[in-house]
Structure formats: structure tokens, C-alpha cells
Amino acid sequence: MSRGYQHDYAAGRPQMYDVSERHRKAATMVAVLSRCMGEKLRDARVLNVGCSAGLIDEALAPSVGSVTGVDIDASAIAKAVSRGLPANVTLVAGDAMGLEFADQSFDAVICSQVYEHVPDVERLIGEIHRVLRPGGVCYFAATNRWAVVEMHHGLPFLSWLPTGLADRYMRLAGKGDRYYERHLGYGALRRLVAGFAVRDFTGQILDDPEAFEAGYLFRGKVKRFAARLMFRFARPIFPGYIWVLERRAT
């Protein structure tokens, strides 16, 4: 997979600079992590892998000890730093497949909608495991390959297709020259994170989205009911998941 398109990823994607949308996501992250870490979250050292323009990091800052954001998009990092950051937020340009941090140096990691962008997802997950302290947790939000509508480009069945056909589909739809993202299905995602203890928060969020600051995910009673039904009876084809991955203490 070419990495070239990622070096200026945020520039052509206004959603990376959508403050309200980024802050909503951060609020859900805090709500989920609070249920896993309790009072420890206040003093936690947090790493956000794939931080992009840093808006999520800024929103996390009041709830944690410190936030370090890392992203391969150096220009987005530079813009974020230039506008000024909270005192406990640090953003650095770097590659998620080779994190330049010491072993066991973070209490929590955020990896939200990132796995599909890296050429070697096993290396990404290995790096997350390495930098987490024993008992540390990773907020892992992942889209399912078998989602009917692909989330990045809004094209039905795009992520289902082999690479060559997906590229042609992108060109025909006027969405770009190539389809770079590589999603995994439910079973492959579970195998990917087999080195962690996994807590699936997806169902809890669907049952009580307000408790997790997640009412924006499924608006309306009908959509929410349909989502609950699908998650309960067709989990392997549910569009996406929010898991907490815990590095085992031993």
C-alpha cells in the first residue's frame, strides 16, 4: 500500500477540521474509557494513534493526565501546533507501525478508525500492545469490511471488492484513482486483537447511547431499533464496533 496519500490526508477532508464532530467522538471515548479505568483516567498518560489535526486530543485533554498524538500527516500536525494546544497535549509526526515511544509507557491508547489505513495492521497492533502498560487499555473503533456502505467514500459494497475492482469503482464514481483503505471482517478483526482481553462496548452503546455521549451515531428510534436488532442477530455484518482492548497484566 502506498503511503503517499496519507502525508497530506487531512488537507482534502474537511471532517478532520470539524470541531463539533471531533469533540463528539472524544466525548464517547472518555465515556467508554471511564467505565474501564475509573478515577485512574484523570491521571492517565494517553496516546492517540492517527490524531490528524489534533481536535480529538484537545477535547480529551481536560479528562486525562496527558495526551500524545501521533500521525504520519506532518502538515496537519504542524497546523495543529501552530494554533496552540493545551499544556498537557503533545502532537508529533510519526508512523503508527513504528512508534518512537518506550515499552509500557502509556496507560491508554486511542485507535479510532485507523487500522484500515496502515499497510501492516499486525505491526500497528503489535506497537499498541508494546507501548501499553500491563493492565492498560486501548479504545479501538473499527469499521467492518462487510458494511454495506463504505464509510470513507460513501459507495455501496466498495470494501467488499478485490483491490483491482475497487480501484475501478472509485474511478467510475469520480472518487479518486485508487481505493487505499483495507478493511477486515468481524472474524479477522477478532483474530487481529487476540493478544488482548476484549470488551465489546458496541451493544452497550446501542442500548443506551446517551450514557456514552453517542446519540449522534444512530438518530431516531427506528434506526436505533434496527441497529440493536442487527447487532444482536447479525453481529458479523454489523457496520462497525467499539472495543476496549486490555493488555493483560501477565
Side-chain angles (χ1 to χ4, degrees):
M1 185 193 298
S2 169
R3 306 299 297 280
Y5 82 107
Q6 296 176 340
H7 289 286
D8 204 21
Y9 186 83
R13 293 167 175 82
Q15 66 270 26
M16 296 293 109
Y17 293 95
D18 185 332
V19 174
S20 62
E21 191 265 349
R22 300 278 106 182
H23 284 199
R24 284 198 302 264
K25 287 180 178 291
T28 299
M29 294 169 185
V30 170
V32 170
L33 290 173
S34 294
R35 281 158 177 77
C36 298
M37 302 179 69
E39 293 297 318
K40 293 180 180 179
L41 183 61
R42 287 185 181 181
D43 300 314
R45 188 179 182 204
V46 179
L47 173 67
N48 183 16
V49 177
C51 66
S52 189
L55 295 177
I56 284 177
D57 308 75
E58 293 175 359
L60 292 172
S63 302
V64 303
S66 66
V67 186
T68 301
V70 61
D71 201 288
I72 199 170
D73 186 346
S75 61
I77 295 289
K79 288 178 183 177
V81 171
S82 69
R83 72 172 180 265
L85 296 168
N88 63 338
V89 174
T90 303
L91 303 184
V92 295
D95 192 335
M97 297 188 302
L99 296 171
E100 297 182 0
F101 304 109
D103 295 356
Q104 302 181 18
S105 53
F106 292 95
D107 303 296
V109 174
I110 305 292
C111 183
S112 180
Q113 310 298 345
V114 170
Y115 87 86
E116 69 271 20
H117 295 287
V118 299
D120 190 336
V121 68
E122 287 81 10
R123 282 179 61 186
L124 166 67
I125 295 300
E127 283 292 272
I128 290 171
H129 189 278
R130 179 183 66 79
V131 301
L132 269 178
R133 292 172 180 153
V137 297
C138 172
Y139 176 98
F140 185 70
T143 303
N144 187 356
R145 178 184 180 180
W146 307 117
V148 173
V149 178
E150 201 275 348
M151 65 170 291
H152 296 92
H153 306 288
L155 296 176
F157 308 111
L158 176 63
S159 56
W160 297 31
L161 300 174
T163 302
L165 286 177
D167 291 345
R168 291 181 63 188
Y169 188 9
M170 286 283 289
R171 290 191 290 270
L172 287 170
K175 296 286 189 175
D177 294 328
R178 289 188 61 191
Y179 179 51
Y180 292 100
E181 291 75 22
R182 297 290 180 267
H183 292 90
L184 300 176
Y186 178 78
L189 284 168
R190 294 293 303 206
R191 290 190 292 274
L192 176 69
V193 300
F196 296 86
V198 180
R199 292 178 63 181
D200 190 341
F201 274 83
T202 317
Q204 294 181 51
I205 293 170
L206 288 170
D207 287 340
D208 192 359
E210 285 73 23
F212 292 92
E213 305 287 343
Y216 61 92
L217 289 176
F218 294 97
R219 299 185 185 279
K221 292 182 179 180
V222 174
K223 286 185 178 180
R224 191 174 297 179
F225 176 77
R228 287 175 182 165
L229 204 64
M230 185 178 186
F231 182 74
R232 182 176 179 181
F233 294 107
R235 189 173 304 188
I237 60 171
F238 195 75
Y241 313 100
I242 294 177
W243 297 342
V244 170
L245 317 177
E246 180 181 351
R247 176 171 174 171
R248 296 178 175 91
T250 57

